[in-house]
Amino acid sequence: MSEKINVLVSEEEVTKRLKELGEQISKDYEGKEIHMICILKGGVFFMVDLSKRISVPVSLDFMSVSSYGNGTKSSGVVRIAKDLDESIEGKDVLIVEDIIDSGRTLYYLMDILKKRNPNSIRLCTLLDKPERREKDVKVDYVGFEIPDEFVVGYGLDYAQKYRNLPYIGVVEGVE
């Protein structure tokens, strides 16, 4: 690990925001059960910590959807590497994503999941880069709005490194 990483969002800021998101989601879903769908791999850290702060019942499932290779720019090709284990028909679904930038992956995914007849479907992301948006994706819950920088940590990686950092950082010199 020779790259220099500058802290963008501290571990304390992440923890505080997770508590706030958990409270808001719990309030919005009062009396319901949330079926959380984690977008692998980056969303795992966020979903696990977020789910611990939600007071209504939750169930979990996972999808692996990608539009990135080992680079830092989206390839534009979206593919499902792992689909859901359970049907979402009639469920209140909350998609949990680590970061949304162009919105292409989530636009495609939301279209697929809506056709599976959930009761409701909402989107929660840890990080949002609205200035990169190419597709109109409604994000219901946002942890942090960030500038157009390449970030790592708290589930986000650079060539599979740095996911385990407890904060969100910018890798110096990476485009």
Side-chain angles (χ1 to χ4, degrees):
M1 290 198 211
S2 57
E3 293 92 359
K4 179 165 175 16
I5 299 171
N6 298 313
V7 176
L8 180 66
V9 182
S10 72
E11 182 175 5
E12 294 75 24
E13 290 172 297
V14 170
T15 300
K16 179 179 182 285
R17 187 66 183 126
L18 280 171
K19 183 177 182 293
E20 295 167 355
L21 284 171
E23 288 170 359
Q24 183 61 55
I25 291 167
S26 298
K27 186 176 160 217
D28 292 350
Y29 284 90
E30 194 173 333
K32 298 179 180 174
E33 180 175 317
I34 305 171
H35 188 67
M36 298 174 79
I37 297 176
C38 176
I39 307 303
L40 297 170
K41 299 176 184 170
V44 168
F45 291 77
F46 179 43
M47 185 169 84
V48 167
D49 284 350
L50 178 63
S51 67
K52 290 189 257 182
R53 289 162 175 86
I54 294 174
S55 60
V56 299
V58 299
S59 56
L60 310 175
D61 206 342
F62 302 86
M63 283 187 96
S64 183
V65 183
S66 67
S67 63
Y68 288 87
N70 272 340
T72 62
K73 297 274 192 274
S74 174
S75 66
V77 177
V78 177
R79 64 183 189 88
I80 294 178
K82 184 216 174 295
D83 207 337
L84 298 172
D85 293 332
E86 300 176 31
S87 166
I88 60 169
E89 189 168 344
K91 295 183 180 182
D92 291 301
V93 171
L94 181 63
I95 297 173
V96 181
E97 178 66 288
D98 55 358
I99 189 166
I100 300 174
D101 48 34
S102 73
R104 286 189 298 217
T105 303
L106 266 297
Y107 183 84
Y108 171 79
L109 181 62
M110 295 287 276
D111 188 51
I112 288 172
L113 294 178
K114 282 176 185 168
K115 291 174 183 166
R116 297 181 184 184
N117 301 316
N119 183 48
S120 68
I121 189 163
R122 291 185 181 171
L123 180 56
C124 179
T125 187
L126 176 62
L127 303 173
D128 190 11
K129 288 186 186 178
E131 67 186 71
R132 290 277 311 264
R133 200 74 85 244
E134 293 173 19
K135 290 284 190 181
D136 187 23
V137 176
K138 181 184 184 291
V139 185
D140 301 281
Y141 305 101
V142 176
F144 300 93
E145 202 170 284
I146 62 167
D148 188 13
E149 301 269 9
F150 189 79
V151 291
V152 296
Y154 209 79
L156 293 114
D157 73 298
Y158 173 55
Q160 297 298 330
K161 295 190 293 187
Y162 308 117
R163 286 189 197 279
N164 61 321
L165 296 175
Y167 57 86
I168 294 149
V170 177
V171 181
E172 235 177 59
V174 172
E175 292 299 318

